[in-house]
């Protein structure tokens, strides 16, 4: 699922939950700059560990790349 962000990313966290769900949580600053909008979770591979944010495909939008520890692979959204 592509992530198209019109606002700057404020915080991104890798989630490895006891139920086996592996996600990356993205938090954006709210419009009034007083806190965060509700988190948005995106599925990843097994045991997400490292996250990089940048314009991977030169379309002017930020993309996420996530390395997965147990899966020995990475996933990217572009």
């Amino acid at each position: 699922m592509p992530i198209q962000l019109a606002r700057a990313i404020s915080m991104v966290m890798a989630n490895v939950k006891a139920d086996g769900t592996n996600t990356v949580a993205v938090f954006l600053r709210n419009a009034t700059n007083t806190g965060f909008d509700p988190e948005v979770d995106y599925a990843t591979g097994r045991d997400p560990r490292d996250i990089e944010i940048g314009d991977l495909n030169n379309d002017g939008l930020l993309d996420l790349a996530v390395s997965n520890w147990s899966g020995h692979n990475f996933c990217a959204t572009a």
Side-chain angles (χ1 to χ4, degrees), residues 1-74:
M1 166 191 295
I3 301 173
Q4 297 183 356
L5 302 172
R7 293 179 282 159
I9 294 176
S10 297
M11 183 172 30
V12 178
M13 298 185 332
N15 296 319
V16 180
K17 299 177 183 173
D19 66 359
T21 305
N22 297 288
T23 63
V24 170
V26 175
F27 297 85
L28 301 176
R29 287 297 271 181
N30 63 20
T32 59
N33 206 27
T34 58
F36 298 101
D37 285 339
E39 92 179 58
V40 178
D41 289 327
Y42 296 93
T44 66
R46 287 180 31 204
D47 296 329
R49 295 296 167 108
D50 295 309
I51 303 166
E52 292 293 330
I53 302 168
D55 185 3
L56 302 177
N57 59 355
N58 295 316
D59 64 357
L61 301 172
L62 292 177
D63 307 305
L64 296 176
V66 180
S67 66
N68 303 301
W69 178 261
S70 294
H72 303 291
N73 59 21
F74 77 96

